[in-house]
Amino acid sequence: MRVTTITVYQVDLPLNEGRYSWADGKYVDVFDSTVVAIATDNGITGFGEVCPLGPFYLPAYGPGARTGIAELAPQLIGQDPTEIGNINRFMDAALLGHPYVKSAIDMACWDVLGKETGKPLCSLFGGRCGEEVALYRAISQRPAAEMADNVRGYRDQGYRKFQLKVGGDANDDIERIRAAADVLQAGEVLVADANTGWLAPDAIRVANAVADLDVYIEQPCGTYEKCLAVRERTALPFILDENIDGLEMLLRAHHDRAMDVINLKISKVGGLSKALQIRDLCVSLGIPMTIEDSWGGDIVTAAIAHLAHSTPPSLRFSATDFNSYVTVSIAAGAPQRQNGAMRASTAPGLGVDPRSEVLGTPLAVYSG
Ligand code: MG
């Protein structure tokens, strides 16, 4: 099988809540998503999506994804998309770094392989584990009382796991965590995610001030070393996200006992292939994971569902249904949340059918 055409689309994804806010006053109103379609000479087309969380969350941004794809796509014409190891080695040799650029291409190749073999990706990723995948809800940064109200509201929609966006003023964040903890019910999970927004002394102050609560602290500071310094001074369970950007960092952090849980984002590590490598290593090492991406619509949500649903439930801390945060559906067949959980499709590949009227006119078409 050979790649004949790679088509690139850009889609705006506005938010149901109007605005998503997190650490350091950062926010996004409309997400800039890129969809890639890889067509082959046997009639199969695979789809992938990459959607950075604005230009200032990770070293990634929407136009950057498309510029990188423009670099790689012409070189991929004629290659076999089902030889995904070769495709990834080729991309890594052709473009150093820029892992997020490769994510949508890798995802589309997996979709082709699933369609070619007639299997859903979660079967190719090791097999379906359990009935469904429990989801967390990110609680956008707002004043404390509003965030507590939003925890209640999203509980009514079925969520039992809540990730508070903190990383602002330390005193305000202590209030936010306490207000949310006050409305928590038995069995629910609360995470305070600073998204790198705290200085180490503030992070230590917050962790000390909420030490009596049942709460996880996630990615308090920007650098790994600062996070480790905070980790060593709190007994609260600890999650690393932004710093775990590949296998090397996972191994280092595991060796240092730097975290109890990681947050595995597909595009942050360069695509489903590399996320699988990390996922499988975490399963072997007994490290629980939140499985998600930086952001996305229906195609990213489907990819998350397959990766998460093929992960043993005991090591699946949570996952995300990004398609329920946004007002636009870019594909039919994507997982739909029910009672705070989702299921991977049983259809071949990702199991999604992109809506051409929503994708609109391609930004670019690459062919031989
Ligand atoms: Mg996080």
Side-chain angles (χ1 to χ4, degrees):
M1 192 191 297
R2 300 288 162 211
V3 174
T4 54
T5 309
I6 299 179
T7 309
V8 181
Y9 303 88
Q10 188 277 335
V11 193
D12 282 340
L13 301 175
L15 279 151
N16 284 316
E17 278 191 19
R19 174 166 292 185
Y20 181 75
S21 304
W22 68 101
D24 282 335
K26 293 171 185 169
Y27 64 87
V28 170
D29 294 328
V30 178
F31 286 92
D32 177 349
S33 193
T34 301
V35 173
V36 170
I38 294 186
T40 63
D41 58 0
N42 76 346
I44 291 175
T45 299
F47 296 91
E49 181 185 9
V50 59
C51 183
L53 179 51
F56 36 50
Y57 170 61
L58 292 170
Y61 68 116
R66 295 184 287 276
T67 303
I69 290 165
E71 179 71 26
L72 289 173
Q75 304 180 62
L76 292 167
I77 305 301
Q79 298 209 29
D80 185 341
T82 64
E83 294 189 348
I84 302 180
N86 284 337
I87 292 280
N88 271 279
R89 282 186 286 276
F90 179 87
M91 289 197 291
D92 286 342
L95 179 68
L96 198 62
H98 302 276
Y100 74 110
V101 161
K102 300 158 187 170
S103 187
I105 294 171
D106 173 76
M107 194 180 289
C109 289
W110 277 104
D111 193 30
V112 169
L113 180 64
K115 287 170 173 166
E116 164 75 2
T117 56
K119 287 185 178 298
L121 291 191
C122 91
S123 297
L124 298 179
F125 292 170
R128 196 172 297 260
C129 298
E131 286 299 305
E132 57 185 21
V133 175
L135 299 163
Y136 82 80
R137 189 75 191 194
I139 307 295
S140 179
Q141 192 174 113
R142 306 266 193 277
E146 277 180 51
M147 290 176 79
D149 277 348
N150 286 340
V151 168
R152 284 197 200 91
Y154 284 115
R155 171 190 299 125
D156 291 345
Q157 294 186 25
Y159 291 100
R160 306 290 312 279
K161 300 167 189 259
F162 306 98
Q163 189 200 67
L164 299 180
K165 290 298 166 189
V166 289
D169 173 82
N171 295 326
D172 293 345
D173 285 338
I174 293 166
E175 251 191 85
R176 290 179 175 114
I177 297 166
R178 289 211 160 270
D182 269 353
V183 302
L184 225 58
Q185 295 180 353
E188 293 181 340
V189 173
L190 186 65
V191 174
D193 185 1
N195 286 111
T196 75
W198 288 325
L199 296 174
D202 288 329
I204 293 163
R205 282 186 54 227
V206 175
N208 284 339
V210 301
D212 58 316
L213 301 178
D214 183 9
V215 60
Y216 291 73
I217 300 291
E218 179 167 338
Q219 191 72 44
C221 305
T223 68
Y224 173 74
E225 290 75 14
K226 287 194 179 76
C227 286
L228 192 56
V230 175
R231 155 77 161 177
E232 284 164 353
R233 294 174 68 175
T234 176
L236 291 172
F238 210 82
I239 303 173
L240 282 179
D241 179 351
E242 284 87 337
N243 291 148
I244 306 297
D245 57 2
L247 212 45
E248 293 278 356
M249 280 307 299
L250 173 71
L251 291 170
R252 182 176 169 201
H254 176 66
H255 177 262
D256 293 343
R257 298 187 180 87
M259 77 286 164
D260 305 294
V261 179
I262 69 154
N263 193 321
L264 177 55
K265 290 183 160 85
I266 295 168
S267 62
K268 178 179 64 179
V269 300
L272 279 168
S273 298
K274 285 172 178 150
L276 263 173
Q277 208 179 17
I278 291 172
R279 190 280 304 267
D280 288 340
L281 192 56
C282 283
V283 169
S284 297
L285 295 172
I287 302 170
M289 292 157 275
T290 284
I291 293 176
E292 59 163 0
D293 207 329
S294 45
W295 204 272
D298 287 307
I299 301 173
V300 159
T301 301
I304 292 168
H306 286 289
L307 188 61
H309 213 152
S310 57
T311 301
S314 60
L315 294 164
R316 199 164 61 204
F317 187 73
S318 66
T320 322
D321 61 326
F322 285 119
N323 60 347
S324 81
Y325 289 65
V326 298
T327 62
V328 173
S329 168
I330 61 170
Q336 302 298 318
R337 185 186 72 244
Q338 267 188 315
N339 295 322
M342 68 178 174
R343 296 160 189 244
S345 170
T346 55
L350 288 166
V352 294
D353 188 9
R355 303 180 197 280
S356 53
E357 72 279 13
V358 177
L359 297 184
T361 308
L363 283 191
V365 180
Y366 305 93
S367 54

